[in-house]
DNA sequence: CAGCATCCCCGCAGATACTG
DNA sequence: CAGTATCTGCGGGGATGCTG
């Protein structure tokens, strides 16, 4: 199986991930938003259905509202998450994935599923690694 | 397109990403190793071919040797990267992907390619977002 | 060449308090 | 309820110097 199976022609198709000097290239930043600690969880959760703010907070678990807000704003700005604030009292804000966001979320979800499926092999590898280190 | 296309049955198939309280669940950690700043770059680079240490360092660009060493050790311990140290002088160490690592790398590469392909839409979304904010 | 050890900084994340 | 604003710490990560 070659790289081409991953979606694009060759490895070099991901051009200049490694910008010398200067600032990091923009793609890297988007990737980091998407794969960030809370970004991953938000995207996966929203894949199921739209969520309200504090509903999302409870669903994800241990996330401060500051970080959730920050994550949602970043993803919204990147056009991955849609924010729907209804002008009612008390306030009600629904978050959902955009089409773009759904594409990202599905990829992230695939990766997350992979880690879960292969966890056994990872744990085995760690035992081997740690055992080898220990007997030195 | 539904979630099932992503590889597993339902979104809830990714069980307990959000462990309440206690420590983070192990899958999360593996995912963070793989999607970490330098982990992403290392995996993508090794997808092309095996690399020597400082060759990899040059290829990736702006990475300190500390972080490269740390990243490689983490990925090696997780069984994603194979380290081949030849007992010669001067030392020569080759790094390559294991079968497990190649699976991960292809997923990461797909995600990286996606961000690059969709960068235009992300930039457009940002303009809209920033413009809307500015005129408040 | 391929690391390891140490020092040090500043930036992200958590905690807290307040608002529309 | 859904945020904003402000303070603070602590640890990730860079820089430097040293070894086999």
């Amino acid at each position: 199986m070659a790289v081409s199976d991953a979606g694009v022609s060759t490895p070099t198709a991901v051009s200049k991930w490694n910008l010398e000097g200067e600032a990091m290239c923009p793609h890297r930043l988007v990737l980091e938003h998407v794969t960030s600690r809370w970004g991953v969880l938000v995207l996966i959760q929203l894949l199921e259905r739209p969520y309200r703010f504090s509903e999302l907070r409870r669903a994800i678990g241990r996330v401060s509202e500051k970080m959730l807000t920050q994550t949602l704003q970043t993803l919204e700005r990147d056009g991955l998450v849609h924010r729907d604030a209804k002008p009612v009292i008390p306030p009600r804000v629904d978050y959902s994935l955009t089409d773009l966001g759904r594409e990202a979320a599905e990829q992230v979800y695939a990766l997350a599923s992979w880690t879960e499926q292969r966890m056994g092999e990872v744990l085995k590898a760690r035992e081997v690694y740690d055992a080898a280190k220990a007997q030195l």
Side-chain angles (χ1 to χ4, degrees), chain A residues 3-53:
Chain A
V3 175
S4 53
D5 292 338
V8 184
S9 51
T10 79
T12 54
V14 173
S15 61
K16 287 298 166 199
W17 275 105
N18 43 333
L19 267 193
E20 301 284 339
E22 326 93 75
M24 207 184 313
C25 46
H27 337 113
R28 284 281 311 277
L29 289 176
V30 177
L31 184 59
E32 290 187 5
H33 296 164
V34 166
T35 62
S36 70
R37 172 156 187 191
W38 304 116
V40 169
L41 298 182
V42 165
L43 289 175
I44 290 178
Q45 201 66 40
L46 290 182
L47 207 48
E48 185 189 341
R49 62 174 176 84
Y51 272 81
R52 299 184 57 179
F53 184 83

Side-chain angles (χ1 to χ4, degrees), chain A residues 62-113:
Chain A
R62 295 236 137 186
V63 55
S64 66
E65 55 179 15
K66 176 185 169 184
M67 291 315 297
L68 184 56
T69 300
Q70 197 173 102
T71 302
L72 285 168
Q73 284 174 348
T74 301
L75 294 178
E76 187 197 357
R77 181 166 184 264
D78 285 351
L80 304 177
V81 160
H82 175 68
R83 180 177 185 275
D84 183 20
K86 329 246 183 190
V88 298
I89 296 179
R92 176 190 176 99
V93 182
D94 287 280
Y95 290 93
S96 56
L97 293 176
T98 62
D99 290 346
L100 200 59
R102 178 161 290 271
E103 288 182 17
E106 280 166 359
Q107 304 242 27
V108 168
Y109 179 73
L111 193 54
S113 299

